[in-house]
DNA sequence: GCCCATAAGAAATTTTTTTCCGTTTTTTAA
DNA sequence: TTAAAAAACGGAAAAAAATTTCTTATGGGC
């Protein structure tokens, strides 16, 4: 089934950069036939190695020029509270990522907002979930952003 | 040119969730003709509102199950150092994001690695760039991850 | 009402995706 | 090492989708 050879790696590398490439285009670049290439991509989809194909939008162009990281600490460590918190952040569309962390902070949240009043509205929605310590750091400059994973270990 | 109406917003919302949808499929869902839909998507591409279409891979499945956030502080605040640092992180494929931050830390880096030895290898590469303070927090659990931006302000 | 500009839809064309089928390569086990 | 089985390949053809072109509608200003 899963071969995990150089060709699959090259296909994934290409799709990570540009998911709008046609099968024929990819086939040419990895030097196999269109059909073989199509079958490999199908397989990678089926196995869940390719999770999804998405369009990445320009955040500033859609009115969300401000990115903020929110560190969260809590003293509530029970399941009930955790479930509530999870539900809250999942339902907030401006919250893009939530990670439970090791170390001194409990959760790290990434969110996008239009401006400071926009952050304040988000903040108010968040603190309803009973957080003991919330501190925001704003992104001044996005120096690198990619969704491409390195495929050396693949 | 740029209309920014409900239909464009709906098209973008769909493409953010699934960029493999055919133009016809999208056209049906937003209740316009295939051609009109195609032209709108072209325009959104041309305007750069759609930045790119990418395949998102399963990090664990490609051998990168560990995500780490690295906080960086420096006392070097000159252009020469900054350029060097930028070059370093851009060239490291395991570094997915680098943000210059407000507040007490200077930079926040997101990276993916295979395991702790993998992190250590990255750490060693990073400290070569003369950073005064590097501290890592590891992601225990990814509670939410999406690239979908909310389109209310659009 | 008429003309122009703009946007929509229909149809034609081109490209891509998918299926079919015989062949080649790789793997497994004797 | 070799033969059988399994997996992967490549080319051609069919089906579907994307793209272009052409025509028709729609709305605003005069």
């Amino acid at each position: 089934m899963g071969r995990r050879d150089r060709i699959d790696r090259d296909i994934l590398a290409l799709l990570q950069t540009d998911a709008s490439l046609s099968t024929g285009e990819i086939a040419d670049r990895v030097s196999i036939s269109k059909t073989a290439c199509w079958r490999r991509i199908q397989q990678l989809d089926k196995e869940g190695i390719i999770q999804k194909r998405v369009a990445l939008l320009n955040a500033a162009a859609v009115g969300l020029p401000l990115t903020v990281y929110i560190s969260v600490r809590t003293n509530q460590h029970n399941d009930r509270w955790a479930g509530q918190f999870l539900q809250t952040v999942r339902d907030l569309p401006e919250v893009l990522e939530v990670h439970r962390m090791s170390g001194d902070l409990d959760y790290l949240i990434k969110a996008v907002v239009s401006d400071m009043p926009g952050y304040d509205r988000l903040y108010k929605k968040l603190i309803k979930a009973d957080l003991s310590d919330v501190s925001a750091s704003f992104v001044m400059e996005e120096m690198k952003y990619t969704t491409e994973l390195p495929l050396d270990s693949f």
Side-chain angles (χ1 to χ4, degrees), chain A residues 119-138:
Chain A
Y119 168 68
D120 197 43
R121 286 191 294 276
L122 172 62
Y123 174 78
K124 282 172 179 157
K125 281 184 261 183
L126 277 173
I127 54 174
K128 282 183 186 163
D130 186 23
L131 312 172
S132 76
D133 187 9
V134 176
S135 85
S137 286
F138 295 91

Side-chain angles (χ1 to χ4, degrees), chain A residues 6 11 34 39 43 49 77 109 137 142 144-145 150:
Chain A
R6 184 188 55 78
I11 291 171
K34 224 168 35 158
R39 273 188 295 239
Q43 186 64 23
I49 292 168
H77 286 288
I109 296 173
S137 286
E142 189 173 78
K144 179 175 184 177
Y145 177 83

Side-chain angles (χ1 to χ4, degrees), chain A residues 6 9 13 17 22 32 37 45 65 76 83 88 90 94 97-100 118 129 133 138 152-153:
Chain A
R6 184 188 55 78
R9 203 166 48 239
T17 348
S22 74
I32 54 174
C37 188
D45 270 316
Q76 304 279 329
T88 303
R90 290 234 168 111
E94 53 273 67
E97 300 181 28
V98 180
H99 307 282
R100 187 161 63 76
D133 187 9
F138 295 91
D152 315 292
S153 36

Side-chain angles (χ1 to χ4, degrees), chain A residues 48-95:
Chain A
I49 292 168
I50 296 173
Q51 280 191 316
K52 59 194 309 205
R53 296 132 199 280
V54 301
L56 298 180
L57 309 187
N58 181 328
V62 299
L64 297 164
L66 188 55
T67 301
V68 57
Y69 277 94
I70 306 169
S71 305
V72 170
R73 238 181 292 270
T74 180
N75 29 40
Q76 304 279 329
H77 286 288
N78 55 76
D79 285 357
R80 188 161 145 49
W81 180 88
Q84 176 76 55
F85 175 65
L86 184 58
Q87 195 54 52
T88 303
V89 292
R90 290 234 168 111
D91 290 347
L92 290 171
E94 53 273 67
V95 170

